[in-house]
Every structure is written in structure tokens, then in C-alpha cells.
């Protein structure tokens, strides 16, 4: 059995978690929208076609903000196609995923769905095939009260009151050659700057995120962020980050270490953004919007997994089935986000339903939770508050993480990886501990000292564990992987002791005695 020690103090913190840290993402991709959250005629669908079985799971999952409509899809999307009478909306070929988009679900339906779910809507604008004019028109359509062509068009479509959407993304992954009309950093920076300027002239209260590089392993990473912020620094509040973890090499130790590269990624983008500020002698700090993150690799590299020939509507693509092992790596990402709450103010799990998602559905049938559902739901429910700075001691290991980019076989060293990855979040009622044991074979006995909290009691303690790391949840066995009671948690005043099973995700909630 390994041993680890954690020391924390209520007076030493990293920062407050922003409510938007617990967001997710809906794209017109596969069965995320059609057959996912929207399925008229489904036994549980309401009058607007929203699946209520999915809605119930979404509310349990607890996302706070939802990014829409893409993703790669947005770089070819004409937002006007998705508003107005449904029978008059055109069908279009979508070049992002080689499907036919019927446009029966669009901006207004999305906002209605968000309101029903109690979620803040986030919109991305098309800076691929379009530019600032279409973006500012969409802001006017959504946010202006009335008396103009675009705002009155919204009112004529049945939405009298403005949507008042506050958070906007300036395009998506614009340095990616797979993107429609992808751009150099200078080209994108100039377009994004002008779009931001006009959008904010329409509504000065909105917040804007510029596109960061598509991934940390992109050749453009670093130079892209620096150049884009050089153009947009005065016009945006956020720069975006995207990452998807993989286990192509079937190397479990490296896979579970990979969230530590997410930590490095965040630190690097913070350094770049602060460097741009330093050149200006500016006290402004660009915050980070980690608006795509997840585990994704099984349905990623093969065209057959990403594309169904014949331009179908809502084909079953990118339907990753998540294992117990995936849930552990996913939980590591949750911890990384919490531990950077001072600068990562927004994050969106990609995506919400069916497509690399925590929720799966059968068209016309049931919905169920994937293994990754549980770490996110626990983070959203118990991770809101002040993230504490901790000191820890314990064993570490080294590994090599394989992260290819196209034909490039890239490997990144990951050194001094703690077997125990953790985060601590306090609120007015108590303290939540998120504990990931990355040792595949040994338990870890953890000694935690929480200074300044006084006598506490264990309010709840749960573990996610299965001896078979390949175990999954399915339609026929939806509860194979689920949180169970974590036994043997002891507390004496401000000192807590707990033993974690090998390869396990654990959450302990403490409250004042």
C-alpha cells in the first residue's frame, strides 16, 4: 500500500470557481441534437420536441452553460437558416461532418431548451465562411429589444423578448486545416477583432472569447495565441483551449497521467496571454475558456467513424463508449480544471448527448449515463466554491504519453506524476475533496490535514471503481459503473484518513460537526 499526505488551510486558496466552469457543448453533429436532446415523437418528448428523459439526466449532470452550434459545424453555418417557420427552412450540406442539416432545430429552439434546462446559452459565430457582418446581425437578432430589422424579425418569429445572450465565441479552431476557410493567426486576428468590435457596438454587455490554437500538439500552438491576442487583446475577455485525451497505445499509466499535460497547457496559455499584457504594460488579464475537453480517440482517427457516406441526416457518428478507465482520466481533467480556477473561468465538456458524451440515447428508446457522467456531476454539484491551495507528499512515476497529430507520431514525456491527483474546494457549508488514485495495482492510504476548519464530519463519501477497467454502461446494463459508498473514512477533528482502491475516483464531502 502506498501512502500520501495532503495539507490544506482554509486561508490559502487558488481562487473561486466561476459557475461557468461546469459547462458543456451541443453541436449539430451526429445524434447530439436530432435523436439526442431533440426528438419530436419520442414517448417522452414535450410539445417542443425536447426529450424529457434526456432533460432529466442533463439536470442531474448539472452543466451551467452550453456552447452552440459548434464546433467545426459553425464555420459553415448560416444562422439565418435555423430561424423562422420550420417548414420554410432550407436543408444544407454540412461540410464539417458530411451530413445533411435539416435546420429544424436552430438558435431559438436552442435558447428555449437552455431556459427549460436552467442553463445559460453560449453562442459561437461563423468566422470561417462568414465574418463580422453576419456576427453582429446575429447579436442584434438575439439581444436587441426591437425596432430594427433583425430584432423585429426575431419578434415576428415568436420570441418577443430578447434572448440576452452574454457569452460569445469568435469562431472555432481557425488554425485547423480541417476547418472551412481556416486562417493564419494574422488573418484570423484581424477578422476576430473587427467582428468583436461590431458585436460589442450592438451590445456592450457581451463577453467574447477568441480562438486559441486547436490543440497543444498543433505546430501553430503558442505563436498562434500570441499573434491572435496581439490583435484582439483590447476586445476580448477570454482565449479558448481545446484538448482530447487518448489511449491509442493502451498504456493505462500514461493515459491516467495525461491530465497533467492539461495542467501544463493551461499554464502555458496563461504565460502567453500575460506576455501580451506585459508588452502593453497592461493590468488586464485574459481569462481562459476551456470550451472543448474530453476523452476521445476510438471514434476519431478513422473516416468511417467520423463520416457516413451519402450525406445522411444525424447519422450515428463519434459515439464513443466510455470505460471505467476513461472515467478515471476524465476525473483527472475535472481536478485540473478546479485547480486552475483562478484563470480558467469557463469550460465546456464536449459534448452533451451521444457524441463523445456522458449521456447516451437510443432513438425512440431509453437514455442512460455513461461512466464519465459521474465525475462531472460530482464536480458540478460539489466543486462550487473556493479552491484551496494544497501541499502534498507521495510517490510519483514517469511515463511517455503518445499524442499524434495527423501523420506526426508525437510523444510527450510526463515526469514526476503523483499517483494521487487531488483538489479541495470549500464553501460556506464545508469542504469537498476530489481524489484520484492512478496506481493500477496498489491502494493509497491518504492522511489529510485540513487546518482552520475545526471539528468536521463526513457528510458523504463515494468511489467509482471496477476491477475491470474496460467495463462500460450500456442500454441493457446502465448501472454497471456507478458511485458506491466509500468505506473506511475516518475523521478526528481536522484530520481525515481514507484508503483509496487502485484505479479509483473518489469524492469526500465534509461538513462542520
Amino acid at each position: 500500500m502506498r501512502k500520501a499526505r495532503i495539507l490544506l488551510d482554509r486561508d490559502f486558496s487558488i481562487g473561486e470557481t466561476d459557475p461557468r466552469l461546469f459547462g458543456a457543448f451541443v453541436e449539430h453533429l451526429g445524434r447530439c441534437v436530432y435523436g439526442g436532446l431533440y426528438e419530436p415523437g419520442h414517448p417522452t418528448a414535450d410539445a417542443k420536441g425536447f426529450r424529457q428523459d434526456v432533460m432529466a439526466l442533463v439536470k442531474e449532470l448539472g452543466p451551467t452553460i452550453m456552447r452552440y452550434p459548434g464546433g467545426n459545424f459553425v464555420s459553415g453555418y448560416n444562422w439565418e437558416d435555423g430561424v423562422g417557420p420550420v417548414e420554410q427552412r432550407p436543408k444544407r450540406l454540412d461540410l464539417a461532418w458530411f451530413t445533411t442539416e435539416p435546420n429544424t432545430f436552430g438558435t431559438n429552439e436552442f435558447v428555449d431548451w437552455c431556459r427549460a434546462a436552467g442553463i445559460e446559452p453560449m453562442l459561437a459565430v461563423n468566422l470561417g465562411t462568414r465574418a463580422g457582418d453576419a456576427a453582429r446581425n446575429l447579436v442584434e437578432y438575439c439581444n436587441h429589444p426591437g425596432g430594427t430589422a433583425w430584432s423585429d424579425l426575431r419578434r415576428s418569429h415568436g420570441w418577443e423578448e430578447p434572448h440576452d445572450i452574454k457569452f460569445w465565441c469568435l469562431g472555432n479552431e481557425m488554425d485547423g486545416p480541417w476547418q472551412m476557410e481556416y486562417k493564419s493567426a494574422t488573418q484570423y486576428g484581424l477578422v476576430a477583432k473587427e467582428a468583436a468590435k461590431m458585436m460589442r457596438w450592438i451590445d456592450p454587455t457581451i463577453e467574447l472569447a477568441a480562438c486559441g490554437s486547436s490543440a497543444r500538439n498543433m505546430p501553430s500552438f503558442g505563436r498562434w495565441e500570441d499573434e491572435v491576442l496581439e490583435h484582439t487583446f483590447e476586445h476580448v475577455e477570454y482565449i479558448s483551449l481545446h484538448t482530447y485525451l487518448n489511449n491509442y497505445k493502451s498504456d493505462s499509466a500514461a493515459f491516467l497521467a495525461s491530465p497533467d499535460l492539461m495542467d501544463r497547457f493551461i499554464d502555458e496559455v496563461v504565460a502567453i496571454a500575460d506576455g501580451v499584457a506585459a508588452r502593453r504594460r497592461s493590468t488586464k488579464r485574459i481569462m481562459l475558456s476551456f470550451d472543448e475537453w474530453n476523452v476521445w480517440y476510438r471514434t476519431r482517427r478513422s473516416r468511417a467513424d467520423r463520416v457516413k457516406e451519402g450525406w445522411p441526416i444525424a447519422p450515428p457518428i463519434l459515439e464513443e463508449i466510455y470505460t471505467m478507465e476513461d472515467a478515471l482520466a476524465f476525473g483527472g481533467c475535472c481536478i485540473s480544471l478546479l485547480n486552475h480556477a483562478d484563470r480558467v473561468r469557463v469550460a465546456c465538456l464536449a459534448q452533451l448527448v451521444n457524441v463523445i458524451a456522458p449521456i447516451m440515447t437510443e432513438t425512440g428508446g431509453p437514455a442512460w449515463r455513461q461512466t464519465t457522467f459521474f465525475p462531472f456531476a460530482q464536480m458540478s454539484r460539489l466543486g462550487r466554491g473556493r479552491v484551496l491551495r494544497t501541499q502534498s507528499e507521495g510517490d510519483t512515476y514517469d511515463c511517455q504519453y503518445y499524442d499524434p497529430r495527423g501523420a506526426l507520431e508525437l510523444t510527450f514525456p510526463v515526469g514526476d506524476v503523483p499517483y494521487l491527483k487531488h483538489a479541495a474546494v470549500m464553501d460556506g457549508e464545508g469542504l469537498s475533496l476530489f481524489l484520484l488514485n492512478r496506481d493500477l495495482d496498489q491502494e493509497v492510504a491518504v492522511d489529510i490535514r485540513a487546518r482552520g476548519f475545526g471539528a468536521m464530519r463526513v457528510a458523504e463519501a463515494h468511489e467509482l471503481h471496477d476491477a475491470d477497467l474496460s467495463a462500460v454502461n450500456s442500454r441493457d446494463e446502465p448501472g454497471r459503473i456507478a458511485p458506491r459508498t466509500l468505506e473506511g473514512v475516518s475523521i478526528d477533528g481536522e484530520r481525515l484518513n481514507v484508503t483509496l482502491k487502485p484505479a479509483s475516483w473518489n469524492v469526500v464531502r465534509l461538513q462542520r460537526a
Side-chain angles (χ1 to χ4, degrees):
M1 180 185 294
R2 298 189 186 277
K3 295 183 179 181
R5 296 177 65 247
I6 299 173
L7 174 65
L8 55 92
D9 189 304
R10 64 176 296 124
D11 292 328
F12 294 89
S13 65
I14 295 169
E16 293 278 342
T17 56
D18 191 298
R20 289 169 169 167
L21 186 67
F22 313 102
F25 177 28
V26 166
E27 181 173 4
H28 285 257
L29 195 178
R31 296 191 308 121
C32 184
V33 174
Y34 307 112
L37 56 90
Y38 175 77
E39 190 180 336
H42 188 274
T44 71
D46 65 9
K48 295 181 178 180
F50 302 155
R51 284 185 58 156
Q52 295 305 295
D53 58 345
V54 172
M55 182 72 75
L57 289 177
V58 169
K59 290 180 178 180
E60 180 186 341
L61 184 70
T64 50
I65 190 169
M66 196 67 60
R67 182 169 172 245
Y68 175 87
N72 297 345
F73 175 82
V74 78
S75 291
Y77 183 53
N78 298 327
W79 67 264
E80 301 92 337
D81 292 343
V83 299
V86 172
E87 64 276 7
Q88 296 178 18
R89 298 181 191 178
K91 292 182 178 180
R92 302 281 189 193
L93 296 181
D94 167 38
L95 302 185
W97 304 107
F98 299 93
T99 60
T100 298
E101 171 54 53
N103 283 307
T104 50
F105 185 99
T107 301
N108 294 318
E109 288 81 13
F110 171 70
V111 172
D112 279 355
W113 183 88
C114 285
R115 302 304 186 211
I119 295 170
E120 179 186 357
M122 172 198 298
L123 290 186
V125 298
N126 178 357
L127 295 188
T129 60
R130 307 185 83 180
D133 188 53
R136 59 115 174 184
N137 290 342
L138 179 57
V139 175
E140 182 180 328
Y141 179 90
C142 289
N143 287 9
H144 196 66
T148 66
W150 290 113
S151 59
D152 284 345
L153 183 63
R154 181 199 71 243
R155 297 169 68 196
S156 74
H157 290 160
W159 284 265
E160 181 68 24
E161 297 300 319
H163 295 322
D164 195 28
I165 294 168
K166 294 301 183 187
F167 199 102
W168 298 77
C169 304
L170 298 169
N172 174 75
E173 295 184 353
M174 295 309 302
D175 66 334
W178 57 87
Q179 211 68 217
M180 285 172 268
E181 296 198 22
Y182 88 103
K183 295 170 171 58
S184 70
T186 300
Q187 291 170 326
Y188 168 73
L190 291 171
V191 170
K193 174 183 176 180
E194 292 305 308
K197 185 172 68 179
M198 291 189 286
M199 292 166 72
R200 187 160 276 134
W201 283 346
I202 297 290
D203 184 350
T205 69
I206 63 175
E207 298 171 68
L208 298 168
C211 280
S213 180
S214 302
R216 185 174 182 259
N217 63 0
M218 287 288 288
S220 52
F221 171 61
R223 293 187 299 272
W224 172 275
E225 281 79 2
D226 187 74
E227 178 70 15
V228 165
L229 286 175
E230 193 61 47
H231 292 286
T232 63
F233 184 88
E234 285 80 15
H235 300 276
V236 303
E237 288 74 34
Y238 301 88
I239 184 84
S240 73
L241 299 81
H242 293 177
T243 201
Y244 293 98
L245 305 185
N246 80 80
N247 193 15
Y248 288 122
K249 291 293 189 182
S250 299
D251 183 342
S252 296
F255 183 38
L256 298 187
S258 61
D260 291 14
L261 292 177
M262 191 172 175
D263 294 305
R264 292 187 199 175
F265 188 15
I266 292 168
D267 292 340
E268 289 159 356
V269 175
V270 166
I272 295 166
D274 289 353
V276 177
R279 289 200 295 269
R280 288 167 161 73
R281 283 73 170 172
S282 174
T283 58
K284 177 179 178 178
R285 289 297 175 261
I286 297 292
M287 296 299 164
L288 276 53
S289 176
F290 217 128
D291 52 31
E292 287 188 33
W293 68 271
N294 204 342
V295 172
W296 176 30
Y297 63 101
R298 297 178 187 87
T299 61
R300 188 174 190 182
R301 300 189 81 182
S302 164
R303 177 180 169 87
D305 290 320
R306 292 181 285 109
V307 175
K308 301 298 181 186
E309 306 301 336
W311 301 95
I313 294 175
I317 55 176
L318 278 62
E319 297 197 358
E320 195 98 349
I321 304 302
Y322 289 112
T323 66
M324 178 64 226
E325 183 177 69
D326 295 330
L328 298 176
F330 183 100
C333 293
C334 294
I335 290 171
S336 293
L337 292 172
L338 290 171
N339 284 333
H340 291 87
D342 56 332
R343 296 300 291 268
V344 181
R345 298 293 176 83
V346 183
C348 297
L349 165 62
Q351 295 188 16
L352 184 67
V353 187
N354 290 325
V355 175
I356 54 172
I359 299 170
M360 288 296 295
T361 74
E362 182 180 86
T363 300
W368 61 94
R369 305 165 188 83
Q370 292 231 63
T371 63
T372 55
F373 183 98
F374 304 105
F376 187 97
Q378 291 170 321
M379 176 183 71
S380 180
R381 181 169 62 89
L382 298 174
R384 306 189 192 197
R386 186 151 54 98
V387 183
L388 299 181
R389 199 172 299 279
T390 66
Q391 293 293 326
S392 61
E393 297 176 1
D395 295 336
T396 64
Y397 67 99
D398 298 334
C399 60
Q400 296 285 326
Y401 176 64
Y402 175 71
D403 194 17
R405 169 58 62 185
L408 294 176
E409 301 287 322
L410 302 176
T411 302
F412 296 91
V414 192
D416 294 324
V417 178
Y419 282 102
L420 176 65
K421 189 175 177 71
H422 64 277
V425 184
M426 68 169 287
D427 58 24
E429 301 298 322
L431 175 67
S432 297
L433 301 168
F434 301 87
L435 307 165
L436 173 64
N437 180 7
R438 296 190 274 204
D439 194 307
L440 301 171
D441 303 308
Q442 295 190 54
E443 294 181 334
V444 175
V446 188
D447 178 5
I448 302 169
R449 301 191 182 193
R451 291 177 177 170
F453 286 90
M456 305 191 77
R457 65 178 181 86
V458 178
E460 62 178 278
H462 292 99
E463 65 179 7
L464 201 65
H465 169 79
D466 196 289
D468 181 3
L469 289 180
S470 65
V472 302
N473 289 344
S474 65
R475 181 193 186 281
D476 296 328
E477 196 176 2
R480 168 65 189 272
I481 303 297
R484 315 291 185 204
T485 299
L486 175 60
E487 304 289 353
V489 181
S490 65
I491 189 164
D492 181 10
E494 296 183 334
R495 184 170 182 175
L496 179 140
N497 290 97
V498 59
T499 298
L500 311 178
K501 290 178 181 175
S504 64
W505 161 265
N506 308 268
V507 179
V508 179
R509 173 66 177 171
L510 304 176
Q511 290 183 342
R512 292 192 182 94

